[in-house]
Amino acid sequence: MLELTAQQVRMQQRAADKTAALELLCEALEADGLVGPGYLVGLQAREAQGSTYLGQGIAIPHGTPQTRDLVQRTGVRLLHFPDGVDWGDGQRVHLAIGIAARSDEHLNLLQLLTRALGEGETGSSLRAAQSPEQLLQALRGGQQSLALDAQLVGLELPAEDFDELLLLAARRLKKAGCAEPGFAAGLQAGEPLPLGHGLWWLSGGEQVSRPGLAFVTPQQALQYAGQPLRGLFCLADRGAAARATLERLCDLLVNGRADELARAASVRAVLEALGGELPVDWPSLRVPLANPHGLHARPSQVLMQMARDFDGEIRLRIADSEGAPVSIRSLSKLLSLGARRGQVLEFFAEPSIAEVALPALRAAVEEGLGEEVLPLPVDAVVPPPRAAAPSAEARVVQAPPSGVPLKAVPAAPGIACGPLHLQIAQRFDFPLRGESPAVEAQRLAQAKAAIADEIDALVQRSDAKAVREIFVTHQALLDDPELGSEVEARLNRGDSAEAAWQQVIEAAASQQESLGDSLLAERAADLRDLGRRVLARLCGVQTAAEPDEPYILVMEEVGPSDVARLDTRRVAGILTVRGGATSHSAIIARALGIPALVGAGESLLALRPGTPVLMDGEHGHFIVAPDAQALEQALQQRDARRQRQALAEARRHEPAVTRDGQALEVCANIGDSAGVAPAVALGAEGIGLLRTEFVFLDSPQAPDLAAQEAEYRRVLDGLDGRPLVARTLDVGGDKPLPYWPIPHESNPYLGVRGIRLTLQRPQMLETQLRALLQAAAGRPLRIMFPMVGLVEEWRQARDMALALHAEYGGHGDLQLGIMIEVPSAALLAPLLAAEVDFFSVGTNDLTQYTLAIDRGHPSLSAQADGLHPAVLRLIEMTVRAAHAHGKWVGVCGELAADALALPVLLGLGVDELSVSPRSVPLVKQGVRELSMAQARDLAGDVLGLASAAEVRARVAQVLGENR
Ligand code: PEP
Ligand code: MG
């Protein structure tokens, strides 16, 4: 369920026009990992189909069905444009809400926005907002219209006294979605107001979900407070939504028409008198909605247009729902229905137009209301919504089956097993009003003292400084005098301890988050964490005790700070319901060495705490309640992997030589000079890829010769005579430099990038080459050019490098080569090999271009496997050509660190592998365990296979036989 929070808001944005605004919005969605590259095309295409302007200065840009696969995570980002952006048709947008959603998850958001749309002042409040909170307040705070329809009126109800009548009224309000549990209790505490003529008025503002007015009359004559009781109005409202209705009621009473209500014989008469929503008994039509994203803005606009063609009223509701039908002339009302694919729409048309309008509506809905729709499966009709949406907790989820391997996304390697410990957001139910300030203050003090003791114990028992620091901070927050006095003030106003504590903590946390500082945002998470612990104590909600033995932590989603605060001795592994492998939490889990799997699905939450779980963070599977054999096998594997890792680390400085004496050079990939020392310490025999673009990307302007030279010199100094393979600047297209504007390209991966770009800016390339040559000063330097696809590109770059080298005297240990990343370079390798000193295969890009799969594609990139025989054949051609000319070949893409790729690359005759520094010891160890003869046979075999999966299976089989 989408919700609006302050973190989603970016204030004070400026955009010259709609195109620029969409670009900004897309950047925000992409930067926060909600969508992948390319979503902008979807946003633009959607606007081209029809403006997403909603009203009140709000637009809701979103992608098209074609770009749905680019959505990585459902969510929204809000950009505030105080100066406004022209959205076409004379509309000015002050708030653009970018939506990333694959299906209809955003409908509830639209429902929420309809409140803002109905409010006259919302547009100007949005424009003037100074903070995310003010902006959200303007959106949420929009006054809702008062619900008053047939379901809220009950005549001649069987009630014995005032209280019973009141409960019947409250029940109607609850059923209509106006009130929540607890509303009736608040109402009972109120003071009823006699209106005269036996009519009474009572209102309640707590536990109200939307304003509503119920009117009920008793079957039999009743008395209350010594006066007749003939009718009771119950208002659920916190604001002034009922003002107009109240005025109308006063008029009725003043004009002596009270009896029309007190003696009303029909619901319609009451509604007519009060100006409520009349029930429609017009001809109707039921038709299922098949639009993939439900009745969102665009199809709703089509319905609105249709309404204009008829000279009469048409209303719509979700069939069998309890809500009153809404006019299809109102976009906001249509959106407020929140109708989803599969639900049945029920149209009502005034009798004079029904005969023509209803068939036309049926045809329009069946044709998709301007969208392409797939027919609904026979059993796909979704039941109508209930008055109150079921909570997440109420949904029934089946636990995953026991004893079988289940898939999840690998996030941090390692095998772990242990009892499951669920850590999920809890719901707390508590009264809003307290017994007395003194009693509530004492309850709170006791709860805080208990939590303080728990925190003390945590501080005592944790060795890790970072963990201790987090809990010391919690202790300080718990004792914070400012928070304490705010809570006290609320208690004195009558709040319960729970309500006062929760509201103060939440307000403080939101305020810290809104300051846009990441440290303060973390502090907000700490505050909420602490807030929950105290609240749980106050509500008597037990947090499941942590198992004594190391456990598998199951969470819905895990934030970086959640991981950072884990006690690594107690948490054996992490398993999450949602999340992706590239998230920061996954990165931290890897750094802490905790095996982790993410995105395992909601069924996890149905598992009983303590259930044993076995997980493999490397291969991406887990088993619930594994049998003894699976457990034994996994533990053996884990021990073997640990032993192998230890051996690899112990021998990291030894060369990597196969069992039959073939040496392979193992180097490291780094991005800047800071990476050199750790790489050397981990056994790297040189740097096989220096991605020099980091020097450029980290700088606010193009780094000059001196700055570059200093950086490259630091790298060479750190290498202490070991060779450096430096790649010239590889930016452009998808990796633009802020100070180097590149015209927009519809397909940047096939655009001006790598060597194509630097050859267009020879000055830039020359400066970089000079810096490298000057920094090397005779030390072993290999320069390579990225993304070479044409022989001319290589020749131009080479000529420039050779001319500069000659200028410096032509001395020293310099080699020039190219990366093999584009299939054309591999195919031309026989020709290029005669001219270059070496090749380095960039398998990341080579795979992308060979298989035509975007390497970052959210759903396809898993298929972009460098062990695909097509890629391997290109590598084989490259090596054969190079060796025929006595040149060497390295591999510096991710494939080089893949354990299953190692024997194949070795067998194909690759001379050097360059991997991330952490992988160096294991890659070297892998080489030592292989024999060249066997690797050659294997490589020959797999070149003839049909798919990457077949290659992987074949290699795994051979390695298995080997060990
Ligand atoms: C590659 O493409 O394999 C490579 C090493 O280059 P990068 O990942 O930097 O594009
Ligand atoms: Mg590349």
Side-chain angles (χ1 to χ4, degrees):
M1 171 134 163
L2 278 181
E3 273 170 20
L4 296 179
T5 64
Q7 298 92 298
Q8 299 159 347
V9 182
R10 287 177 176 50
M11 299 297 293
Q12 307 296 331
Q13 303 290 308
R14 276 174 183 80
D17 53 22
K18 183 167 165 179
T19 309
L22 291 178
E23 276 168 17
L24 272 179
L25 200 52
C26 196
E27 266 168 42
L29 291 169
E30 208 177 315
D32 292 351
L34 301 183
V35 301
Y39 196 64
L40 180 61
V41 177
L43 293 182
Q44 288 164 338
R46 173 60 187 86
E47 295 292 337
Q49 290 165 357
S51 169
T52 60
Y53 184 79
L54 265 193
Q56 295 282 7
I58 305 172
I60 50 161
H62 49 277
T64 54
Q66 289 72 28
T67 49
R68 189 173 40 207
D69 285 345
L70 297 178
V71 173
Q72 293 168 350
R73 196 153 54 84
T74 301
V76 291
R77 289 298 174 266
L78 289 74
L79 299 195
H80 171 233
F81 294 105
D83 301 339
V85 179
D86 181 359
W87 219 256
D89 301 331
Q91 312 289 10
R92 257 195 118 58
V93 163
H94 293 285
L95 176 65
I97 305 181
I99 301 175
R102 281 169 184 266
S103 60
D104 60 4
E105 302 103 312
H106 64 297
L107 279 178
N108 71 301
L109 179 74
L110 292 181
Q111 278 180 295
L112 189 140
L113 289 176
T114 57
R115 199 183 298 178
L117 292 177
E119 184 53 14
E121 295 302 310
T122 309
S124 45
S125 312
L126 287 176
R127 189 176 52 232
Q130 293 295 325
S131 67
E133 283 69 32
Q134 280 181 10
L135 190 116
L136 295 183
Q137 190 53 41
L139 279 179
R140 294 201 187 100
Q143 184 181 300
Q144 284 177 291
S145 56
L146 183 78
L148 173 56
D149 55 34
Q151 61 179 329
L152 285 166
V153 178
L155 302 179
E156 303 194 356
L157 303 181
E160 305 252 309
D161 58 18
F162 184 92
D163 280 347
E164 268 190 40
L165 196 60
L166 177 151
L167 287 176
L168 292 171
R171 193 170 298 160
R172 280 170 187 266
L173 285 163
K174 218 166 117 193
K175 218 167 155 199
C178 299
E180 287 166 13
F183 170 74
L187 210 56
Q188 274 167 327
E191 190 63 42
L193 181 73
L195 300 175
H197 308 275
L199 296 178
W200 291 79
W201 177 271
L202 193 53
S203 63
E206 275 165 16
Q207 309 300 105
V208 169
S209 13
R210 67 177 181 122
L213 179 66
F215 176 66
V216 284
T217 63
Q219 218 169 34
Q220 62 193 72
L222 296 178
Q223 290 274 315
Y224 179 68
Q227 297 183 41
L229 167 60
R230 295 161 70 199
L232 172 63
F233 289 95
C234 275
L235 175 68
D237 189 18
R238 281 193 215 108
R243 202 172 57 208
T245 310
L246 249 175
E247 279 167 9
R248 205 169 163 134
L249 176 61
C250 288
D251 281 349
L252 285 176
L253 299 175
V254 169
N255 294 327
R257 292 170 58 195
D259 267 5
E260 283 178 34
L261 298 169
R263 293 179 193 276
S266 81
V267 171
R268 180 177 274 275
V270 173
L271 293 173
E272 266 169 2
L274 293 172
E277 192 90 39
L278 293 175
V280 283
D281 41 16
W282 301 335
S284 66
L285 155 83
R286 294 161 77 103
V287 52
L289 181 73
N291 293 55
H293 304 290
L295 195 57
H296 62 96
R298 211 166 125 233
S300 298
Q301 275 160 351
V302 174
L303 281 181
M304 264 172 64
Q305 294 290 344
M306 287 187 73
R308 294 194 193 135
D309 296 342
F310 296 105
D311 196 10
E313 181 63 19
I314 301 170
R315 303 225 181 133
L316 173 64
R317 72 169 175 189
I318 299 173
D320 304 322
S321 68
E322 282 148 357
V326 300
S327 166
I328 70 164
R329 288 175 193 276
S330 159
L331 179 61
S332 64
K333 292 237 164 96
L334 284 175
L335 293 177
S336 73
L337 292 173
R340 289 179 290 130
R341 173 177 158 89
Q343 286 185 323
V344 176
L345 301 181
E346 189 170 20
F347 289 94
F348 299 85
E350 256 184 74
S352 59
I353 57 164
E355 210 176 312
V356 187
L358 293 178
L361 287 164
R362 176 188 291 284
V365 173
E366 282 174 353
E367 279 162 23
L369 297 169
E371 292 191 319
E372 241 177 71
V373 291
L374 288 177
L376 290 164
V378 185
D379 55 356
V381 174
V382 177
R386 292 203 274 138
S391 65
E393 286 79 355
R395 259 180 285 138
V396 180
V397 208
Q398 295 278 325
S402 300
V404 290
L406 302 162
K407 279 195 170 223
V409 180
I415 292 175
C417 64
L420 173 157
H421 179 55
L422 270 177
Q423 197 171 303
I424 51 174
Q426 291 152 312
R427 257 182 81 96
F428 301 105
D429 281 323
F430 51 81
L432 295 178
R433 310 295 290 168
E435 212 180 301
S436 76
V439 170
E440 298 300 308
Q442 197 196 2
R443 289 182 56 231
L444 183 59
Q446 280 169 351
K448 282 170 69 175
I451 298 301
D453 286 349
E454 276 179 32
I455 296 176
D456 260 353
L458 282 169
V459 173
Q460 300 301 330
R461 89 168 183 227
S462 64
D463 296 336
K465 188 161 162 272
V467 176
R468 270 204 314 274
E469 277 169 2
I470 287 170
F471 288 121
V472 168
T473 312
H474 279 204
Q475 194 70 274
L477 291 172
L478 197 60
D479 299 335
D480 188 299
E482 285 282 311
L483 295 179
S485 58
E486 282 174 40
V487 172
E488 196 184 320
R490 284 184 170 273
L491 293 181
N492 288 337
R493 291 207 296 268
D495 280 7
S496 66
E498 293 89 340
W501 173 254
Q502 192 205 29
Q503 287 183 19
V504 168
I505 292 288
E506 187 48 44
S510 311
Q511 198 208 350
Q512 297 201 338
E513 270 168 351
S514 68
L515 299 176
D517 176 303
S518 58
L519 258 180
L520 290 178
E522 289 218 347
R523 188 57 46 82
D526 284 328
L527 256 174
R528 290 204 174 98
D529 200 2
L530 182 69
R532 272 193 299 271
R533 294 174 77 147
V534 173
L535 205 54
R537 187 88 198 183
L538 279 169
C539 297
V541 173
Q542 296 281 327
T543 29
E546 286 180 48
D548 291 334
E549 57 195 295
Y551 55 84
I552 306 291
L553 179 66
V554 171
M555 300 168 105
E556 282 186 82
E557 210 160 8
V558 52
S561 65
D562 289 324
V563 182
R565 81 184 60 189
L566 295 179
D567 183 344
T568 49
R569 286 168 319 174
R570 297 176 63 77
V571 179
I574 301 171
L575 202 50
T576 73
V577 171
R578 283 181 277 279
T582 52
S583 64
H584 279 118
S585 11
I587 293 167
I588 293 178
R590 282 196 285 272
L592 288 177
I594 306 177
L597 291 174
V598 295
E602 221 163 287
S603 58
L604 278 187
L605 301 178
L607 286 169
R608 263 193 306 115
T611 309
V613 174
L614 169 66
M615 56 178 279
D616 184 338
E618 191 171 334
H619 294 121
H621 53 73
F622 65 101
I623 304 179
V624 174
D627 60 26
Q629 197 194 350
L631 206 57
E632 163 110 28
Q633 240 176 28
L635 293 180
Q636 272 172 9
Q637 246 180 48
R638 182 178 68 182
D639 290 347
R641 279 191 213 171
R642 282 182 182 164
Q643 274 172 18
R644 187 163 175 265
Q645 178 79 36
L647 180 65
E649 277 168 22
R651 298 185 62 188
R652 67 192 186 279
H653 291 301
E654 295 175 24
V657 182
T658 60
R659 294 209 304 258
D660 45 1
Q662 174 76 43
L664 188 92
E665 201 175 351
V666 181
C667 298
N669 296 347
I670 58 168
D672 58 18
S673 56
V676 180
V680 170
L682 283 161
E685 294 166 285
I687 295 301
L689 170 63
L690 171 65
R691 290 182 160 108
T692 60
E693 52 273 14
F694 284 90
V695 184
F696 288 74
L697 289 167
D698 285 351
S699 158
Q701 62 206 29
D704 61 12
L705 178 65
Q708 287 193 56
E709 187 194 330
E711 174 68 0
Y712 305 145
R713 190 180 293 281
R714 281 192 288 271
V715 176
L716 283 144
D717 288 350
L719 280 172
D720 201 16
R722 296 174 183 85
L724 163 66
V725 182
R727 175 173 78 184
T728 60
L729 186 61
D730 182 16
V731 293
D734 63 315
K735 295 188 267 184
L737 286 178
Y739 43 83
W740 197 349
I742 296 165
H744 173 76
E745 295 176 309
S746 61
N747 196 339
Y749 281 117
L750 302 180
V752 185
R753 57 171 300 200
I755 192 70
R756 292 177 190 156
L757 181 66
T758 43
L759 285 176
Q760 285 183 7
R761 317 269 168 129
Q763 195 54 49
M764 196 103 162
L765 183 58
E766 185 185 320
T767 306
Q768 183 170 36
L769 292 172
R770 279 186 189 282
L772 283 165
L773 291 167
Q774 284 177 196
R779 291 179 284 188
L781 172 67
R782 287 91 183 85
I783 297 177
M784 65 179 175
F785 303 105
M787 301 298 302
V788 172
L790 306 174
V791 178
E792 282 64 40
E793 289 167 343
W794 146 249
R795 287 183 183 155
Q796 268 189 54
R798 174 202 57 190
D799 291 350
M800 184 189 284
L802 288 179
L804 292 171
H805 188 222
E807 212 183 280
Y808 290 108
H811 312 299
D813 182 2
L814 173 70
Q815 293 183 10
L816 298 177
I818 62 167
M819 288 195 73
I820 299 288
E821 296 177 288
V822 183
S824 63
L827 294 165
L828 289 179
L831 211 134
L832 286 161
E835 302 180 18
V836 300
D837 294 320
F838 68 96
F839 291 129
S840 181
V841 186
T843 49
N844 306 338
D845 277 314
L846 185 62
T847 308
Q848 151 167 278
Y849 293 120
T850 305
L851 301 180
I853 295 178
D854 175 350
R855 60 195 260 188
H857 193 284
S859 57
L860 293 176
S861 58
Q863 290 175 41
D865 188 337
L867 275 183
H868 193 287
V871 181
L872 297 178
R873 281 172 184 256
L874 291 173
I875 300 177
E876 193 269 342
M877 288 177 66
T878 305
V879 175
R880 195 150 32 90
H883 288 182
H885 288 87
K887 310 292 167 62
W888 63 271
V889 179
V891 172
C892 63
E894 294 303 307
L895 192 69
D898 185 327
L900 292 182
L902 183 61
V904 180
L905 295 175
L906 193 67
L908 290 174
V910 165
D911 306 282
E912 179 242 35
L913 294 177
S914 192
V915 296
S916 73
R918 249 184 332 108
S919 304
V920 169
L922 270 182
V923 170
K924 283 182 150 184
Q925 185 56 27
V927 174
R928 294 182 196 116
E929 289 162 359
L930 294 165
S931 91
M932 198 59 203
Q934 198 182 20
R936 266 196 215 105
D937 286 350
L938 179 63
D941 268 9
V942 298
L943 283 180
L945 297 177
S947 68
E950 284 181 21
V951 175
R952 288 196 177 274
R954 176 85 187 102
V955 179
Q957 183 198 358
V958 170
L959 287 184
E961 284 162 8
N962 233 8
R963 285 177 185 155

